[in-house]
Amino acid sequence: MNILLKSARILDDQNKSLHGKVRDIWIKNGVIEKIATSVTPDSRTKVIELPNLHISPGWIDSSVSFGEPGYEERETLAHGARVAALSGFTDIILNPNTNPVPDTSGDIVFVKKTAAGKGAHVHPLGTLTRLSAGTDLAEMYDMQKAGAVAFYDFKSPVTHANLLKIALQYAQGFGGLVFSFPMDASIAATGTVNEGDTSTKLGLRGIPALAEEIQIARDLSILEYTGGKLHIPTISTARAVSLISEAKKKGLDVSCSVAIHNLFHTDEVLHEYDTHFKVMPPLRTAKDREALRKGVRNGVIDMVTSDHMPIDIEEKRVEFDRAAYGSLGLESFFVILNSIFGPELAVEILTRGRQRFSLESPVLKEGARAGLSLFNPEGEYFISKEGLLSTSKNSMYIGKKGKGRVYGSVTEHQVYLHKA
């Protein structure tokens, strides 16, 4: 792969000598050969010139779901990895919500081999417990040796406090990262949306903010006792931000993420009972949304994620209470994030998180392996169903407007660009 990115403006606040500069970037055989004001390539090099082309070190998404194995009709690993690459991502953390779930080293090897070279680099999570049943720990050490970057029973809270204690203690022996979904199931019960004015008006069963906050408080207490590394995925309430901020000030090794939809929407969008807005954790209030945005800006929230989850149309085109949770997010991620925070902070957010998963960060310098995201941060972008790349089409962003557009990405394997 030999390409020349022509007249690209670089956004990389870790590289002060290049940040904000317009440069030609020549990539030969997957390695950055030259960065200069002007480069004359050889005849075997493909020249890429795009309107208002901006580049940055490759983006990462810390919560992505596909379907394979078991739910290939939602999304396959190969196609999903390509969708991620065309959406600007060079790396994704893959959730373990398949059938069967990946709870052995062999399962992790299958995922990595199937997705290798198909698009964005896929870094699988293994389950925390066998079969994600919440009873016995899975083969955590063996899975990490096989390539699992952390351990998570996807969207399932760790009900038994002692199990989380043992997991955190055990994982310290090999530097493992433990996920704990922030929800007390006994308080959430059969709720489907945020408990508040909207749920009361619509007659839908609510999930109180307390369900998230009491679980986080418990988990942080256990972490303070055991030590180890804890990640709390997709928080959604103002109090959750405060609890994690306090824990970090104590020196606890905790990180967290928020889903992009909890930064964009509130539960007021539910007035038409549109199941595309049914997500877990649920959309919350404007007060929660503002606290979450502040948490992203000040670094209390470590990562923003698409929480991308393809779902069959049959599982969404039913009554709200019976509909499956989840929305697409990869394709819309940048334009929504850019509309909230602007391009400089959006890119900084999109490149956060690799260190938490012990992954190498792409570097924009000569001699480094290529790992770049390509985009235009300007202009209005209308999100349509026809523009979605995923096999499933369950996006809550259809009909919404974002800012900018994504051209694609470059890895050492390939260049992935949208068709003109």
Side-chain angles (χ1 to χ4, degrees):
M1 179 193 71
N2 295 347
I3 64 169
L4 176 66
L5 300 174
K6 196 72 178 169
S7 301
R9 186 173 298 277
I10 297 169
L11 292 189
D12 182 5
D13 62 3
Q14 299 299 308
N15 190 335
K16 301 303 182 185
S17 64
L18 288 175
H19 183 58
K21 303 292 197 319
V22 176
R23 295 288 185 268
D24 287 359
I25 300 169
W26 191 11
I27 299 169
K28 294 181 66 177
N29 300 318
V31 174
I32 299 174
E33 177 76 11
K34 192 171 185 180
I35 303 174
T37 304
S38 180
V39 175
T40 302
D42 60 31
S43 59
R44 294 173 297 172
T45 296
K46 177 182 179 181
V47 178
I48 296 175
E49 293 186 84
L50 296 164
N52 196 30
L53 174 61
H54 284 57
I55 68 165
S56 74
W59 303 339
I60 183 170
D61 190 337
S62 64
S63 179
V64 174
S65 301
F66 292 145
E68 186 179 7
Y71 305 109
E72 287 83 357
E73 71 280 2
R74 297 178 182 175
E75 191 65 276
T76 64
L77 284 163
H79 187 258
R82 182 173 178 80
V83 169
L86 289 168
S87 301
F89 294 91
T90 58
D91 295 88
I92 61 166
I93 307 299
L94 186 68
N95 290 315
N97 57 328
T98 52
N99 184 21
V101 295
D103 60 0
T104 69
S105 58
D107 298 325
I108 300 300
V109 169
F110 167 79
V111 170
K112 288 184 71 66
K113 284 188 174 181
T114 304
K118 302 298 192 300
H121 300 294
V122 174
H123 309 283
L125 297 171
T127 61
L128 183 64
T129 63
R130 293 178 185 172
L131 304 177
S132 285
T135 304
D136 301 306
L137 291 182
E139 299 175 7
M140 296 166 64
Y141 175 73
D142 289 344
M143 284 193 288
Q144 182 153 312
K145 294 285 283 184
V149 295
F151 309 98
Y152 182 25
D153 289 348
F154 181 70
K155 305 282 186 184
S156 297
V158 183
T159 302
H160 301 291
N162 192 54
L163 184 68
L164 180 62
K165 178 180 80 73
I166 294 169
L168 285 166
Q169 290 172 327
Y170 174 60
Q172 288 178 63
F174 51 91
L177 177 63
V178 173
F179 278 48
S180 181
F181 184 65
M183 186 180 73
D184 184 304
S186 64
I187 295 175
T190 57
T192 57
V193 299
N194 179 57
E195 183 177 272
D197 292 344
T198 299
S199 65
T200 301
K201 290 176 185 176
L202 298 179
L204 294 172
R205 289 169 290 185
I207 300 174
L210 179 65
E212 177 167 307
E213 295 153 8
I214 198 169
Q215 188 83 352
I216 290 175
R218 184 207 74 171
D219 291 353
L220 293 173
S221 294
I222 295 171
L223 178 65
E224 187 170 12
Y225 176 80
T226 60
K229 298 194 297 185
L230 178 68
H231 181 70
I232 302 173
T234 57
I235 66 172
S236 67
T237 74
R239 179 64 180 147
V241 179
S242 299
L243 287 167
I244 292 167
S245 177
E246 292 164 9
K248 288 186 172 186
K249 289 174 183 176
K250 287 182 180 179
L252 299 186
D253 194 350
V254 60
S255 57
C256 67
S257 67
V258 62
I260 182 66
H261 45 253
N262 286 100
L263 298 175
F264 188 66
H265 289 297
T266 70
D267 59 356
E268 293 181 2
V269 300
L270 298 170
H271 64 278
E272 293 184 355
Y273 299 90
D274 187 341
T275 59
H276 287 102
F277 296 105
K278 185 178 180 183
V279 288
M280 179 60 70
L283 301 173
R284 302 284 188 182
T285 66
K287 178 183 176 182
D288 291 310
R289 180 177 65 180
E290 184 52 41
L292 292 166
R293 289 183 178 185
K294 183 178 179 181
V296 171
R297 290 189 183 98
N298 63 25
V300 171
I301 297 176
D302 302 270
M303 307 163 208
V304 179
T305 173
S306 67
D307 208 25
H308 179 85
M309 193 184 305
I311 298 293
D312 302 339
I313 190 171
E314 290 83 3
E315 294 183 73
K316 283 290 188 180
R317 195 176 287 173
V318 293
E319 296 87 345
F320 196 94
D321 281 346
R322 295 175 53 209
Y325 291 100
S327 171
L328 300 184
L330 276 171
E331 298 102 312
S332 313
F333 195 175
F334 172 74
V335 300
I336 297 298
L337 194 69
N338 187 33
S339 72
I340 299 170
F341 294 114
E344 298 235 357
L345 181 53
V347 166
E348 192 269 319
I349 290 166
L350 286 163
T351 52
R352 290 180 189 174
R354 284 184 176 83
Q355 186 176 4
R356 192 58 171 164
F357 299 101
S358 301
L359 299 174
E360 182 181 351
S361 296
V363 180
L364 228 172
K365 67 177 184 180
E366 293 176 359
R369 290 186 298 116
L372 304 171
S373 298
L374 283 56
F375 57 99
N376 177 354
E378 301 301 327
E380 187 175 77
Y381 184 81
F382 181 77
I383 301 167
S384 66
K385 183 176 181 180
E386 293 72 28
L388 296 175
L389 305 171
S390 298
T391 301
S392 298
K393 304 299 178 185
N394 58 299
S395 173
M396 67 167 68
Y397 302 105
I398 293 172
K400 303 297 183 295
K401 293 178 181 178
K403 185 179 179 182
R405 63 169 297 185
V406 175
Y407 291 128
S409 63
V410 178
T411 69
E412 69 272 20
H413 300 304
Q414 189 59 267
V415 55
Y416 300 91
L417 291 177
H418 284 274
K419 294 179 180 178

